[in-house]
Amino acid sequence: MTFSDIMKESWLSISGNKIRSFLTILGIIIGVAAVVVMVTVGETVQRQIDEQFSALGTNTIIIRAGAAQIGGVRTAGGGMRLTIQDAEAIATLPGVDMVGPMRSAQAQVIAGSRNWSTQLMGVWPQHQQIQNIEMSHGVFFDRAALRNASTHAVIGTRVARELDLLPNPVGQVIRIGQVPLVVVGMTREMGDGMQSTDDAIFVPLSTMQQRIQSWRFHNAVPTIMLRLHDTADNNFMTEQITALLRDRHRLRDTDRDTFQITDMRQVMETMNTVAGIMNMLLISIAAVSLLVGSIGIMNMMLVSVSERTREIGIRKAIGAKESNIIVQFMSESVVISFIGSMIGLLIGIGGAMFVVPALLESSAQISYWAVIISFVVAIVVGLASGVFPAIKAAKLNPIDSLRHE
């Protein structure tokens, strides 16, 4: 038999029982589509993590006031505060590129007849470089504004929209409480995500201290952010900062830290590990679907062998070899798997292109290696699933087969 004869016979056999063949193919469709979609989901989440941390920078360290909580209870020393002097001392450490203390609060901002509740951030000018904040209009305030406690403000794009400001809001006046602020810049839109500046207002820390809020501890700040030099070792610098702050806070060896240090590189590595585990879990779930589909093919082929016992006997009686019978049943199994994998690939690619971006609110990039692997695996599954039924059919005794009713 030629290749075309084999394919024709396989198609006639498959189309002879349309419902059973469809249900068998459906298992492969679900398995292949699941592999493509699950891998796309995993890689999209991984890319989102990388983008978020690359925007902030892996050489960034965040120091927060207060001791770590153990079992939900804050340990002794939790009332200690970080100060601007702490930030200035950290800035003198070798390996530290720039430092920026910061304080935040929820504030009601007013412009004309409109108002909006947003995050107010009192920062140093270095905060722009530490957080890699890009400007769409205007500039970030400078050291002179910090020194003079100027009423300058940098706003996010959502704040501008909610207050119905001009597309270029530079020069417009907004108000927080009784304090008028002149907009000197607007940040570039970042979208939802970690460290987004879209719904925030930045003012000089001195302005927030002296004009907007009254603090009992004038130099206290809850957070200090810093950026290390590219050649600095994050772990070593964390140890140096810890030693410096413990010395400045006069902590004894038995005392716990009165601050928490977060190394963004370690956080990124942890998040990547978690994302990798999630990705493997998703692929494993999809692989189970393929396994179920292969079992369905094997079941269908075994039933087909039982139903076509007399046909197999006739073929062998007129001279068909065992290899011919094996090739015939193997080809049917591969055709089923091929049809299912093709339809599954189309559905999977469609889901990856349209469904995944809608669910994750992010553009999704189809993994071509997942497409290739799922296709190859589906064909291998078809071959593997057809081996046992094909051998069983080839080993049938032609005399017993001809007697079969």
Side-chain angles (χ1 to χ4, degrees), residues 19 45 64 106 127 134 141 150 190 193 204 222 239 263 283 291 305 329 387:
I19 295 179
V45 171
R64 294 183 176 86
Q106 199 70 18
H127 189 80
E134 298 181 3
F141 51 81
S150 301
M190 296 177 64
E239 294 174 359
D263 180 358
I283 294 174
L291 177 62
V305 170
F329 279 87
V387 167

Side-chain angles (χ1 to χ4, degrees), residues 55-56 102 121 126-133 190 195 197 202 225:
L56 181 59
M102 59 180 291
M121 312 282 288
Q126 294 93 315
H127 189 80
Q128 181 187 10
Q129 285 76 38
I130 294 174
Q131 278 207 294
N132 296 321
I133 297 175
M190 296 177 64
Q195 305 299 329
T197 61
F202 298 94
M225 295 186 67

Side-chain angles (χ1 to χ4, degrees), residues 252-377:
R252 296 169 298 183
D253 293 340
T254 56
D255 292 337
R256 294 185 180 276
D257 294 339
T258 58
F259 49 86
Q260 303 172 54
I261 299 179
T262 302
D263 180 358
M264 298 310 295
R265 177 169 294 174
Q266 292 182 350
V267 174
M268 181 178 180
E269 290 173 354
T270 301
M271 293 294 292
N272 283 334
T273 300
V274 173
I277 294 173
M278 183 192 74
N279 201 12
M280 291 302 299
L281 179 62
L282 293 176
I283 294 174
S284 299
I285 294 172
V288 170
S289 300
L290 269 178
L291 177 62
V292 172
S294 68
I295 294 173
I297 294 177
M298 183 178 293
N299 181 63
M300 174 183 172
M301 297 309 300
L302 286 172
V303 172
S304 180
V305 170
S306 299
E307 291 178 345
R308 296 161 63 187
T309 300
R310 187 174 181 83
E311 174 193 332
I312 295 170
I314 293 174
R315 287 175 179 268
K316 297 189 75 172
I318 60 177
K321 300 178 181 179
E322 290 188 358
S323 59
N324 299 134
I325 304 298
I326 292 176
V327 168
Q328 181 62 47
F329 279 87
M330 289 286 290
S331 65
E332 292 178 17
S333 178
V334 171
V335 168
I336 291 173
S337 184
F338 180 80
I339 294 173
S341 63
M342 286 291 98
I343 299 174
L345 282 177
L346 294 176
I347 295 175
I349 292 172
M353 291 178 61
F354 302 105
V355 179
V356 173
L359 292 177
L360 299 181
E361 298 182 351
S362 174
S363 59
Q365 186 173 358
I366 299 173
S367 175
Y368 292 103
W369 71 264
V371 172
I372 294 171
I373 289 178
S374 59
F375 176 74
V376 172
V377 168

Side-chain angles (χ1 to χ4, degrees), residues 149-160:
S150 301
T151 55
H152 292 172
V154 175
I155 65 174
T157 52
R158 185 174 182 185
V159 175

Side-chain angles (χ1 to χ4, degrees), residues 309-310 313-314 317 397-405:
T309 300
R310 187 174 181 83
I314 293 174
N397 187 301
I399 298 176
D400 295 335
S401 299
L402 289 173
R403 292 174 178 173
H404 183 79
E405 295 294 335

Side-chain angles (χ1 to χ4, degrees), residues 2 58 154 210 216 242 335:
T2 64
T58 56
V154 175
Q210 300 173 26
R216 178 183 174 188
T242 300
V335 168

